[in-house]
Amino acid sequence: MNPGQGQWNRRQSSLTYEIQVTGGVLRGEQDNTLRSLQILSYLATQANPVPAARIAEAVGSPRSSTFRLLRGMQTLGYVAHIPEEHAYALGVAALEIGQAFAIQAPLARYGRPVVARLVASVGETAHLAVLHGNETLYIHEETAPLRAPLVTAKDVRLPAHLTASGRAILAGMNHDQLRALFPPNFAFIQRTGRGPRTYAELTQQLAATRRQGFAREFGEVTEGLTSVAKAVRDRNGRVVASIAVTRPYDTQSARVPAATAGIPEDVILTALERAALELSRRLGWDPERRA
């Protein structure tokens, strides 16, 4: 018996015991809900796609009702049918839920103090973001004293191709992954008249991000504000988030004015690197291991 099957058996035994000791009787929609969750739990323990008949046997459900549940779950994206193998696997919707919990929960918990220390050290607003499709989703922002709130508040989404936070994450992707997010007919919208207008321009910016080790945007999200961002990695070295610092610039000279510049950008980048590395370590990343 493989480790996944053993894990499933333990879950199934625990669930059966829970129903027995509580005197639970499951019928109708309640039973269908339970069976759907059992199917997801079972598929999560399997390394390969599983035929419907074996799924029905594993969850103790009639084949006919199991097929109906699988079709409904497939429609919603929670399972995927692999026609070549006549089998089922977890779908994108299920994976997104798991990824959201596995990444955003520890990020929000571990990231807040890291971002707070970054703001205290550089005196500028900083934020923590993840990628949601082709958008940047901000999960935490720490506003610096005497700085106005930004548009990048918690739960705000912005086009990833325009933000330094988004580009820092996109730079960790390969061509196929990027093309899935930005297909040939993708409309590269702009907010201030700046930013990449085509896929080719975006890939040029991402190549520059990889070379210099950080992403930058200059007035592409909000006129008068510029941001730099660094990638955050998980235990496998995969880029899962980014931390950015935003500060004002003079719209006339297109430079950060001395009156508001604060500390030099190289100092900000050093502090930003330290913050991204600290959060990556908290997520299990070993900095000695190359990504």
Side-chain angles (χ1 to χ4, degrees), residues 56-90:
E57 180 182 358
V59 302
S61 175
R63 292 191 181 188
S64 58
S65 58
T66 300
F67 276 112
R68 286 197 299 272
L69 288 174
L70 286 170
R71 284 196 296 269
M73 296 167 70
Q74 181 182 353
T75 300
L76 295 175
Y78 287 98
V79 301
H81 182 234
I82 315 299
E84 295 82 1
E85 301 183 36
H86 304 288
Y88 292 84
L90 287 179

Side-chain angles (χ1 to χ4, degrees), residues 91-246:
V92 173
L95 296 175
E96 286 179 342
I97 291 175
Q99 184 181 49
F101 177 81
I103 298 302
Q104 293 187 29
L107 273 174
R109 183 168 61 251
Y110 296 146
R112 280 189 289 268
V114 174
V115 173
R117 283 191 290 273
L118 175 61
V119 171
S121 68
V122 302
E124 300 290 353
T125 296
H127 29 86
L128 176 64
V130 296
L131 207 62
H132 190 278
N134 52 35
E135 295 179 315
T136 302
L137 171 62
Y138 295 90
I139 61 175
H140 179 66
E141 179 177 277
E142 188 84 17
T143 303
L146 305 180
R147 294 297 190 209
L150 307 178
V151 298
T152 52
K154 182 179 181 296
D155 295 331
V156 166
R157 300 181 187 184
L158 291 173
H161 64 277
L162 293 180
T163 69
S165 296
R167 291 175 192 163
I169 304 173
L170 293 173
M173 296 183 173
N174 59 36
H175 171 75
D176 291 339
Q177 293 169 322
L178 289 171
R179 260 309 183 194
L181 296 177
F182 303 98
N185 61 347
F186 183 81
F188 285 86
I189 64 171
Q190 296 181 315
R191 288 170 55 93
T192 65
R194 297 187 177 94
R197 298 174 182 272
T198 65
Y199 181 76
E201 290 181 3
L202 173 62
T203 55
Q204 289 175 359
Q205 291 195 354
L206 297 182
T209 296
R210 297 184 190 103
R211 287 195 303 270
Q212 62 196 17
F214 66 92
R216 180 200 302 278
E217 67 87 10
F218 210 88
E220 295 168 49
V221 174
T222 302
E223 187 77 26
L225 294 176
T226 181
S227 300
V228 288
K230 290 258 189 180
V232 173
R233 299 180 182 274
D234 66 8
R235 64 187 305 274
N236 297 314
R238 185 170 60 97
V239 176
V240 294
S242 62
I243 299 179
V245 172
T246 298

